Amino acid sequence: MMWAAVVVVALGFLVVLEVAARHYGQPGPITNQAKEVIFAPKSGPLLYASMALMMVVLTWRQRAIVIAAAVGIDIAFFLIRWAVDAKMMFGNGALWVILACVVIAFTRRTGQERVLLLKGVGLGLLLVAGRKTGDAWLLITSKTRPTVLDQYVATADHALGNPSWLVGRFVKSTGPIGAHILDYVYIQLAVAAVIVALYQLRNVSTERRFPAHHLVRTFLVIGLLGPAFYMIFPVVGPIFAYGADGGHWAVANVWPNSASISVPHHMPFNEITPRNCMPSLHTAWATTIFIHSRKGPKALRIAGAFWWIATLGATLGFGYHYGTDIIAGVVFALTIEAALRSLARGWDRSGALLVAYGAAIFTAFLLSYRYLSMTMAQHPWIFGPLLMLATFSVIHYFIRTTKQWEPQPVPVRKLEPQAGPQPELV
C-alpha cells in the first residue's frame, strides 16, 4: 500500500509540473522523459545508474542479460545517430530495459516476485523522474519569482567571512584541472549516490526484500521538498547576482574579487536563471551521501568524504552558493534524514524532538538571513560563531540521537568455573 501511494503521489506531482511547465511554453518532466526513449538523453550516466538501482532485485544471470541488452540497444542507437549526424549520447538502452522490466513484471511474474521487480523498477524510475522534476522546478522558479533576495543573503554571508569569494579565488588559482574535477563531482552527484545505494541494497536479490531505510529515500525526499523553499526564498547565487554571468541584472561584477556591505533590497532578475540556492540541495545531497557511506568499507567511506568536500568546494568555488546556503543545506539534510529514520523505526519522543529541533534551526536561519542580515554583517564575530554553533548543535544532536537508535550488542556472559571436584579427562 505504501509503494502504491508513492506511485500515485509521484504521478500526480509529475502531471502538475507538466501542466505548469506547459503554461510557460516549455515541455514538462513527462514529455522530456518520453523523448529520451528515442532522442538523445540529457544524461546517459544517470539512466545507467537508474538501471543499476533496478538491478538490485535481479539475479546475477538476469543482470548480465539486462546489461547486454542495454549496451546492444545503445550501440544500435549510436550507429543510427552517427549515420544521420544526430546528437550523440548513450542511455536509451538503459531506459528501454527499465521499461521492458515493467512489461515483464506484469506478464511473467506473480505474487511477491512481481511486487519486488516493480519496486526495483520504481526505484530506478524515481531517480530519473527526480532529475526531470528538478528541471521543471527550476523553470517555474525563474518564471514566477521576478525578484530575488541575494542582497540579503550576501549581506548575512559577511558573518561567515564570505566563503564563496574565498573559495572562488582558490578554485580560480588551481586552473582548468581543478575546475574540471570539481565540475565532474558536482554534475555526477546522483551517480555517487547510486554507488552508495548499491552497497546498501546489495543483499536485496538474496533476501528478496528492501531494507527499511536507505540513501535513495532521503535523496528523493530532499529533491521533492527542497524546491518549495526556492519559491519561498528565491536566490540566484553570487556568480549571477555579483558576477559576470548575471549580465546587466547583476549588482556589480565583483565576484570573486571583492565583497562589500550595503543596505540590502529586493532585486529584479531575468526570467531564465533558476532561483535554486536556498538551501543548497547539492550540499544536502552530498551530506546524505557522506552519512550513509559511514557504514560501508573503508574505500566507500573515503569516497563519501571526498565527494562531500569536493561538492562544497564546487558549490562555493563556482559561485553557485553562499556560505549561508551551505549551512542551511546541512541542517535541512539532517532534519530530513532524521524524519525518515524515525518513520522507518517508528516515531518516538527522541525522533520527534530531533526533527523539531532541526526544523527550528532551519527556520531561524531563513528568518535571520531575511530580517537580520545587516546586523549580522555589522557584528560578524558574534553572529558568525552563532551560525556555526547552531549548525554544529544539529550535527551533534543528530549523531547522539541516531547512535542511541543503533542495536546494542548483547553482552556475552562468561561461565564461572564451578567449585568442587571436576571430572577427570579420560
Side-chain angles (χ1 to χ4, degrees), residues 79-349:
L79 295 175
I80 295 173
R81 287 180 182 137
W82 176 74
V84 299
D85 196 24
K87 179 183 177 182
M88 305 301 292
M89 176 54 74
F90 63 93
N92 301 88
L95 183 58
W96 277 44
V97 166
I98 294 174
L99 297 177
C101 286
V102 177
V103 177
I104 293 173
F106 283 107
T107 59
R108 304 293 297 274
R109 297 287 188 271
T110 58
Q112 290 299 319
E113 289 300 311
R114 172 186 291 175
V115 172
L116 188 66
L117 182 55
L118 288 176
K119 285 182 178 180
V121 170
L123 201 62
L125 289 179
L126 281 174
L127 184 64
V128 176
R131 176 66 176 268
K132 299 304 179 185
T133 56
D135 294 341
W137 263 121
L138 298 185
L139 171 68
I140 293 171
T141 61
S142 64
K143 298 294 185 181
T144 60
R145 293 298 179 265
T147 61
V148 296
L149 303 177
D150 280 76
Q151 293 188 29
Y152 293 91
V153 179
T155 303
D157 209 42
H158 284 274
L160 297 174
N162 303 301
S164 181
W165 272 255
L166 295 175
V167 181
R169 290 196 293 269
F170 173 77
V171 171
K172 189 176 181 180
S173 68
T174 62
I177 296 178
H180 285 317
I181 294 174
L182 291 180
D183 184 60
Y184 181 82
V185 169
Y186 189 84
I187 293 174
Q188 301 299 340
L189 187 65
V191 178
V194 169
I195 293 174
V196 177
L198 289 177
Y199 174 78
Q200 292 182 321
L201 303 176
R202 65 193 184 280
N203 296 323
V204 171
S205 61
T206 56
E207 297 178 356
R208 313 309 292 167
R209 63 181 180 86
F210 281 85
H213 180 59
H214 50 83
L215 171 62
V216 181
R217 300 174 79 235
T218 309
F219 212 81
L220 292 173
V221 172
I222 287 175
L224 178 66
L225 298 181
F229 295 97
Y230 294 166
M231 306 290 287
I232 298 172
F233 211 106
V235 180
V236 294
I239 188 63
F240 299 103
Y242 294 91
D245 289 19
H248 70 277
W249 297 94
V251 177
N253 186 5
V254 296
W255 184 91
N257 300 316
S258 61
S260 59
I261 300 177
S262 60
V263 178
H265 301 283
H266 285 69
M267 57 182 288
F269 216 79
N270 60 40
E271 295 184 358
I272 300 173
T273 306
R275 282 63 163 151
N276 62 336
C277 281
M278 183 63 71
S280 170
L281 293 194
H282 264 77
T283 299
W285 284 321
T287 301
T288 58
I289 291 174
F290 175 80
I291 293 171
H292 284 265
S293 66
R294 295 305 88 195
K295 295 286 185 69
K298 184 177 181 180
L300 195 65
R301 296 197 302 270
I302 293 174
F306 166 77
W307 222 272
W308 185 73
I309 295 171
T311 300
L312 295 186
T315 55
L316 292 172
F318 291 146
Y320 297 150
H321 290 280
Y322 305 90
T324 47
D325 309 338
I326 299 299
I327 60 175
V330 171
V331 173
F332 183 70
L334 295 178
T335 305
I336 297 297
E337 176 70 17
L340 291 177
R341 290 194 185 193
S342 297
L343 183 64
R345 66 184 296 270
W347 283 94
D348 58 10
R349 186 172 180 271

